[in-house]
Amino acid sequence: MNDIWLVLGGTLTGAVGPGISVLYATYGELITERAGRINLGIEGSMLMGACFGFIATVETGSVTLGVLSGMVGGSLLSLVLAYLVIYRNTNQLATGFALTLFGAGITAYAGRTYVDSTINGLNPITVPILSEIPKLGIALFEQDVLAYIAYILGPVLFLGLHYTRTGLSLKAVGESISVAYAAGRNPYMIQIVAIAMGGALAGLGGAQLSLGFTHTWSEGMTVGRGFVAVGLVIFAMWSPLRAMVGAFLFGGAIGLQLQLQTIGAPVSPFILDMLPYLIIIFVMSLWSRAAARAMPEGLKGVLRATT
Amino acid sequence: MYNRIQQIPVFKQSHRIWIGAFLLLAIMVLAACSSQESTIVPAEATIAPDISSSSDSRPTTVTATSPTEAELKGGSTEIFLQGFEDAIANSNFRSTSEFAAAAKPLDAGEKLKVGFIFVGSQKDLGYNQAAAEGSQYLEKAFSDIEVLRSENIPETADVQAVEEQMIRDGAKIIFATSYGYSGPTKEIIEKHPDVMFLHMGDVESYENYSSFFGNIWQLEYAAGQVAGETSETGKLGFIAAFPIPQTLLNVNAFHLGAQSVNPDIETTFVLTSSWCDPAKQATAVQAMIDAGVDVLTQHQDCTKTIVEAAERAGIYVSGFHQDASPAAPNAWLTGAAWNWGPVYAEIVASIRQGTYKSSVMFQGLDAGWVQLSPFGSFIPDGVKQRALETVEQLRSGSFQPFTGPITDQDGNIQIADGVVPTDAELQGTGYLLQGITGRTN
């Protein structure tokens, strides 16, 4: 019984820790896809955020500047994607993937002398009353400031998308560019802004990873978490609230497999290692029909390649 | 409709071209920078040129190095050199004078190129940094050697590509420093019969593929004693990457050391399935703390994240590979570390002399291949004293902690009562000891 509580508590702690960075990237990809574009360069944007956030923190000593640089780095990379796919009409999937590889290369180069740098970083802030909730409290309310922002950002994005003019414009562009244009919007500008914001959020996720969660820069440290975010957007059916569930589920699965190892569960760690991805694949296969219905119209051309 | 969409303007036509040109330029500049990085970078360290212009144009003959005791961190020069002599004497392969290009004399002004391939960053405060510092030692030891380094190379066919590139660039000796390089490297050794490949940690050798590794478990044992005496909860945590024999030997030694001072000690063994994934390391630290662990140690390549996370969480940490004590002034106990410099230098020297023969070598404290990291400032003198005594006992060989009976997790006797295992047997460890929670597969 004790073990079960230990595992559950640990899974929750694990859910939030590694989950936050994925959550930011998921928000970012979600905004991009709501505007009718898909950005596979999100992994590269996360790396840019992690790397340049770390470098800026080392150089200036200010975490705030670090976080901002991470956001700028992430959005710069996604702006390249915006230019290529919107002006040059390149294939979105190929362009995004190429930018991920590009981001990995440039961060490996730029960050190589910072691998052993020590930073003060973002430290956990304990929320007074909430952190005393048994089991849940420590997991959820003893985190760095970016985690709290991520909690709030989900509902904010949800309200923003569905109840503000800007959100409605964004969704309209994602559904049909010509209709949005006819309604007096500037659809490509909206897409560019959405892609840039998406990159900035992914960069923020990367910065949380390097500045908050690990206090370390290391080459390729996101290890595919950006691609996980792309999957999570489909999993979340383009809803920010479900994105939170998805990201924490993914983080929780990482936490769970390490917890199971600490109690000596009779399962091979190699199989446990697949758990986070298996869970995502499983849920996605369950929801595939519903997800297809929820998909913004503008994405269908890209994902199904029927035009 | 397609046409109409195309007509929707965002910026003026003339601006678009400039934006495009700028982005292209930026990409090209950045790509140029990063592609330069991904190829092999020659050594940065500057060595005074040693080309005696006027006098003899013949190359300098290289004699064996004789590292001092200080360079061997307390190990004996005699035993260090004897280890090499024994390995060569027991080898069934031809000596390097008969096939190795590195054993041929150099032309005037020419430098012998030695390649080093690392699986991670050379500044990882861990395994790769220890190896990189060894390569710097090598560079300083010989004035006519140029070291080629390539870092962050995965343990896949990628390493073959790097090795081929280094050979094209003129490397005659290649150090493949990561355990997982063994498979890919062995596939190309026949293609390059005159290049000498040195692998760290394999248990087999071929004519131009030799392997060596340090008995770092000896220091894991001593560090385990310090950990056992420091722990208040009686629970130690070991965060590893993969359950390879070296790792299992290390966790067993660490546990055994801790058990020698606290018979009830428990060790939790967790795998992250990556030599360096900081986010997973941080999650593992959290899982360990949840499980009540208050002393952590690790077998990861990059050690910084775990060391710093322990410091922030207010628990203790024992180091591995490299002295990382400055990163954790309040958490650092001690640690096991390498001393590769003299080893690399001696290997290269005897290859050039032509006397070297492929072998599988394991050496430890007595030959100065490994060393104990500095103690944390708060460690009581009694604890330090005991650890240092253990180190001396292990160095002199008067004490072998793995003397049987040694019982594994499932209660099976792995080393029978009174049996003293050989180094090679220990390097093939495939089990965890009683008292360790975790799995080997």
Side-chain angles (χ1 to χ4, degrees):
Chain A
M1 194 59 202
N2 231 344
D3 276 356
I4 295 175
W5 273 120
L6 191 72
V7 169
L8 279 181
T11 309
L12 261 173
T13 328
V16 180
I20 293 293
S21 56
V22 180
L23 181 55
Y24 275 116
T26 311
Y27 288 155
E29 184 67 18
L30 193 141
I31 293 175
T32 311
E33 293 193 14
R34 275 289 188 174
R37 295 288 176 174
I38 187 158
N39 182 2
L40 288 190
I42 212 89
E43 167 89 4
S45 288
M46 275 185 94
L47 279 171
M48 297 282 279
C51 181
F52 292 109
F54 193 79
I55 292 178
T57 308
V58 173
E59 292 298 337
T60 65
S62 153
V63 190
T64 320
L65 275 180
V67 171
L68 287 176
S69 314
M71 290 177 76
V72 171
S75 70
L76 275 181
L77 193 74
S78 62
L79 276 174
V80 176
L81 177 110
Y83 170 77
L84 288 172
V85 301
I86 293 175
Y87 287 123
R88 313 265 28 122
N89 255 324
T90 57
N91 181 304
Q92 297 186 38
L93 303 181
T95 311
F97 198 70
L99 282 175
T100 285
L101 296 177
F102 176 64
I106 186 163
T107 52
Y109 174 70
R112 74 199 187 290
T113 52
Y114 293 90
V115 175
D116 59 351
S117 304
T118 318
I119 55 162
N120 198 6
L122 292 165
N123 288 311
I125 302 164
T126 310
V127 179
I129 297 156
L130 292 173
S131 62
E132 281 157 36
I133 304 171
K135 312 293 175 198
L136 271 174
I138 301 235
L140 291 174
F141 298 106
E142 221 185 88
Q143 298 287 341
D144 58 57
V145 63
L146 288 181
Y148 301 126
I149 296 178
Y151 297 159
I152 301 165
L153 200 57
V156 167
L157 281 179
F158 176 80
L159 294 176
L161 266 179
H162 297 298
Y163 298 100
T164 66
R165 280 187 80 81
T166 326
L168 290 175
S169 300
L170 185 83
K171 285 198 295 180
V173 171
E175 295 299 329
S176 165
I177 287 183
S178 48
V179 169
Y181 182 60
R185 302 281 180 269
N186 184 343
Y188 289 138
M189 203 54 186
I190 290 176
Q191 284 191 335
I192 291 172
V193 172
I195 292 173
M197 269 180 68
L201 281 171
L204 189 57
Q208 198 271 341
L209 198 62
S210 67
L211 301 177
F213 191 49
T214 65
H215 294 225
T216 307
W217 159 252
S218 131
E219 180 183 327
M221 70 186 294
T222 53
V223 269
R225 290 185 173 89
F227 292 122
V228 168
V230 176
L232 284 176
V233 174
I234 303 171
F235 170 97
M237 296 195 274
W238 295 271
S239 152
L241 296 179
R242 276 190 292 254
M244 296 179 80
V245 178
F248 290 145
L249 200 64
F250 175 77
I254 297 181
L256 174 67
Q257 64 113 336
L258 289 165
Q259 286 296 333
L260 285 175
Q261 287 193 48
T262 63
I263 61 160
V267 194
S268 163
F270 293 106
I271 293 183
L272 290 176
D273 216 41
M274 295 188 279
L275 202 62
Y277 308 96
L278 283 180
I279 290 181
I280 301 292
I281 292 172
F282 178 68
V283 179
M284 266 170 62
S285 68
L286 279 187
W287 288 2
S288 63
R289 287 248 171 84
R293 276 199 300 278
M295 184 188 292
E297 204 63 37
L299 281 183
K300 289 184 178 163
V302 188
L303 292 181
R304 295 197 185 140
T306 48
T307 40
Chain B
M1 173 154 131
Y2 181 76
N3 283 336
R4 249 191 73 201
I5 293 175
Q6 284 305 303
Q7 285 160 13
I8 299 172
V10 185
F11 294 112
K12 282 183 201 158
Q13 182 73 31
S14 56
H15 290 170
R16 286 198 206 175
I17 294 164
W18 287 113
I19 296 172
F22 172 75
L23 283 174
L24 259 178
L25 193 73
I27 290 177
M28 276 162 60
V29 168
L30 295 176
C33 295
S34 40
S35 71
Q36 219 173 21
E37 174 58 17
S38 64
T39 56
I40 296 148
V41 189
E44 279 172 22
T46 49
I47 313 155
D50 188 40
I51 307 156
S52 37
S53 49
S54 57
S55 59
D56 196 7
S57 67
R58 280 183 57 89
T60 47
T61 344
V62 184
T63 52
T65 61
S66 283
T68 63
E69 260 190 38
E71 281 164 341
L72 293 175
K73 315 292 175 190
S76 133
T77 311
E78 216 171 300
I79 296 175
F80 176 84
L81 295 175
Q82 188 63 45
F84 280 90
E85 272 175 38
D86 291 349
I88 290 168
N90 293 328
S91 169
N92 297 322
F93 298 106
R94 290 189 296 165
S95 54
T96 48
S97 60
E98 295 180 49
F99 68 90
K104 305 234 161 40
L106 295 170
D107 291 332
E110 193 194 352
K111 287 195 170 188
L112 174 66
K113 290 184 179 164
V114 180
F116 276 86
I117 308 172
F118 309 102
V119 71
S121 163
Q122 294 173 60
K123 302 178 84 177
D124 64 358
L125 274 185
Y127 185 76
N128 298 294
Q129 185 168 344
E133 285 177 8
S135 74
Q136 286 158 12
Y137 180 103
L138 174 71
E139 231 164 12
K140 289 207 183 84
F142 302 99
S143 54
D144 55 351
I145 277 190
E146 181 180 339
V147 173
L148 310 174
R149 299 183 176 86
S150 204
E151 59 177 14
N152 285 314
I153 306 301
E155 295 170 326
T156 59
D158 284 12
V159 70
Q160 294 176 348
V162 174
E163 284 162 351
E164 297 277 9
Q165 179 63 44
M166 284 181 163
I167 293 167
R168 275 197 293 279
D169 288 348
K172 306 282 192 288
I173 300 173
I174 289 179
F175 284 84
T177 62
S178 189
Y179 185 81
Y181 287 164
S182 62
T185 302
K186 277 186 271 193
E187 286 173 20
I188 65 162
I189 52 175
E190 277 183 33
K191 248 171 88 184
H192 302 286
D194 61 340
V195 175
M196 195 64 210
F197 293 89
L198 278 306
H199 181 266
M200 287 164 66
D202 201 352
V203 287
E204 43 174 24
S205 58
Y206 299 91
E207 183 160 88
N208 61 335
Y209 175 93
S210 186
S211 190
F212 61 95
F213 212 64
N215 291 329
I216 200 158
W217 64 265
Q218 294 177 319
L219 298 161
E220 285 286 334
Y221 183 87
Q225 286 188 326
V226 178
E229 283 176 299
T230 312
S231 174
E232 283 153 23
T233 61
K235 286 183 176 172
L236 312 180
F238 196 107
I239 301 175
F242 298 101
I244 60 171
Q246 284 170 22
T247 300
L248 297 175
L249 179 58
N250 284 337
V251 60
N252 285 347
F254 189 75
H255 179 73
L256 217 52
Q259 213 176 32
S260 72
V261 294
N262 177 359
D264 298 326
I265 204 93
E266 289 172 30
T267 303
T268 306
F269 179 68
V270 162
L271 299 168
T272 61
S273 305
S274 167
W275 286 117
C276 184
D277 178 350
K280 213 154 177 202
Q281 291 176 351
T283 316
V285 171
Q286 200 55 54
M288 287 290 192
I289 293 170
D290 289 344
V293 164
D294 69 345
V295 181
L296 273 179
T297 189
Q298 58 181 320
H299 188 170
Q300 299 271 333
D301 270 2
C302 54
T303 67
K304 176 172 172 280
T305 310
I306 290 175
V307 171
E308 289 184 357
E311 170 87 8
R312 287 199 300 276
I315 60 171
Y316 298 105
V317 67
S318 184
F320 193 51
H321 295 314
Q322 186 76 1
D323 174 20
S325 48
N330 301 309
W332 181 267
L333 301 180
T334 177
W338 304 102
N339 183 29
W340 289 126
V343 181
Y344 294 162
E346 179 59 30
I347 289 176
V348 169
S350 52
I351 290 175
R352 303 182 75 182
Q353 273 182 315
T355 54
Y356 189 79
K357 290 178 181 174
S358 269
S359 58
V360 176
M361 257 184 107
F362 295 105
Q363 294 283 299
L365 274 166
D366 51 353
W369 286 32
V370 288
Q371 56 179 319
L372 193 70
S373 291
F375 291 105
S377 54
F378 53 88
I379 305 282
D381 283 339
V383 177
K384 280 188 202 172
Q385 203 57 42
R386 190 205 290 253
L388 290 175
E389 274 166 26
T390 305
V391 167
E392 286 319 312
Q393 282 174 355
L394 290 165
R395 198 194 295 283
S396 68
S398 62
F399 170 58
Q400 163 52 278
F402 281 99
T403 304
I406 294 290
T407 316
D408 71 12
Q409 270 180 321
D410 306 325
N412 303 322
I413 303 277
Q414 289 287 353
I415 298 173
D417 200 358
V419 173
V420 181
T422 63
D423 282 349
E425 277 165 12
L426 284 178
Q427 296 289 349
T429 301
Y431 51 87
L432 292 167
L433 299 186
Q434 231 167 17
I436 302 178
T437 306
R439 285 178 58 93
T440 58
N441 56 45

